[in-house]
Amino acid sequence: MAAVLFDFSGTLFRIESTESWLRAVLTERGLALPEPELTVAARALETAGALPGGASPERLPQELAAVWGVRDQSAQLHRSAYTGVARQVALPDPALYDALYERHMTPAAWTPYADAAEVLEALRERGISVGVVSNIGWDLRPVFREHGLDPYVDAYVLSYEHGIQKPDPRLFKVACDALGVVPHDVLMVGDDRRADGGAAALGCAVHFVDHLPVSQRPDGLRPMLNLIG
């Protein structure tokens, strides 16, 4: 393999829990909810699929179905989709919906998987290029910089910057071109069999990891090193 492409959320990084997300925003805005109410609200937000990088909606409102399907094609669509599903949940201040969206874009909301740095460093030592290919509506580069992983990444290919989202093979082609490699020499690593599996149509090898909390997946990335020799 000449290069490895990684997904972002659920592959290299994991978003905080829905309860932590809500609690942080309430604290930032000087608001408080009784613990039982906070727990209920957090569960409702999770069921709604309001946390980007978290659970998918259990029931998507019909009026949001169209934007949800293309949410990763632009920053505006991404914000509209996630604040839209969040607004299905009653919160004490209308400003909280945008505040929650802003929170999820901060480095503090994300934690790298325990073996992410080790694996990225190993690839760098072997002279293998690394790209990050993500369906996303905002610039994740500050997250990588804050957590010290940016030096290991040679190219970022973000759906909202190209108006294309996975599994469209064109997004993976952009990444291959950015790294100067041909698809048959590339391994795509991700957690979503549909989205990340789209790389196979281009001729890339594909390896899947489980989208689990950081504490439950201490070494999910290491096995892929065996695939590249």
Side-chain angles (χ1 to χ4, degrees):
M1 293 293 173
V4 178
L5 304 178
F6 289 95
D7 174 50
F8 168 54
S9 174
T11 301
L12 290 175
F13 283 83
R14 171 80 181 204
I15 191 68
E16 64 187 332
S17 70
T18 309
E19 183 173 322
S20 172
W21 177 55
L22 176 58
R23 191 182 298 276
V25 170
L26 289 171
T27 299
E28 288 167 3
R29 301 186 70 83
L31 298 173
L33 283 177
E35 283 299 313
E37 291 183 26
L38 189 149
T39 299
V40 169
R43 287 176 181 168
L45 287 166
E46 185 164 356
T47 298
L51 175 59
S56 298
E58 292 188 9
R59 185 186 64 81
L60 188 63
Q62 185 175 358
E63 66 270 19
L64 293 174
V67 68
W68 188 263
V70 295
R71 66 190 183 280
D72 297 311
Q73 292 183 13
S74 77
Q76 180 180 0
L77 289 169
H78 195 268
R79 180 183 287 270
S80 295
Y82 281 103
T83 57
V85 293
R87 286 188 173 91
Q88 305 303 304
V89 179
L91 294 176
D93 181 348
L96 284 172
Y97 302 108
D98 282 314
L100 285 166
Y101 187 83
E102 296 295 329
R103 163 73 186 182
H104 103 274
M105 295 189 288
T106 65
W110 295 89
T111 301
Y113 282 95
D115 56 347
E118 173 191 331
V119 167
L120 292 174
E121 184 175 3
L123 294 174
R124 177 55 53 91
E125 290 174 350
R126 297 183 190 186
I128 296 172
S129 300
V130 168
V132 172
V133 184
S134 178
N135 277 353
I136 200 165
W138 50 276
D139 186 4
L140 52 71
R141 295 172 183 87
V143 176
F144 279 77
R145 288 196 293 268
E146 181 69 21
H147 290 281
L149 299 186
D150 179 66
Y152 303 116
V153 180
D154 300 292
Y156 294 93
V157 177
L158 311 181
S159 61
Y160 84 102
E161 294 182 337
H162 299 277
I164 307 167
Q165 63 187 50
K166 299 181 289 186
D168 193 321
R170 292 178 296 167
L171 197 64
F172 302 104
K173 179 65 162 57
V174 171
C176 291
D177 290 346
L179 296 174
V181 294
V182 296
H184 287 281
D185 293 335
V186 173
L187 174 67
M188 174 67 205
V189 181
D191 68 296
D192 188 319
R193 280 163 171 73
R194 178 179 178 274
D196 300 314
L202 195 63
C204 301
V206 182
H207 175 72
F208 296 108
V209 295
D210 294 323
H211 189 154
L212 294 170
V214 168
S215 63
Q216 297 178 28
R217 210 193 79 191
D219 56 0
L221 291 166
R222 289 192 188 102
M224 52 83 47
L225 291 174
N226 297 325
L227 299 177
I228 60 176

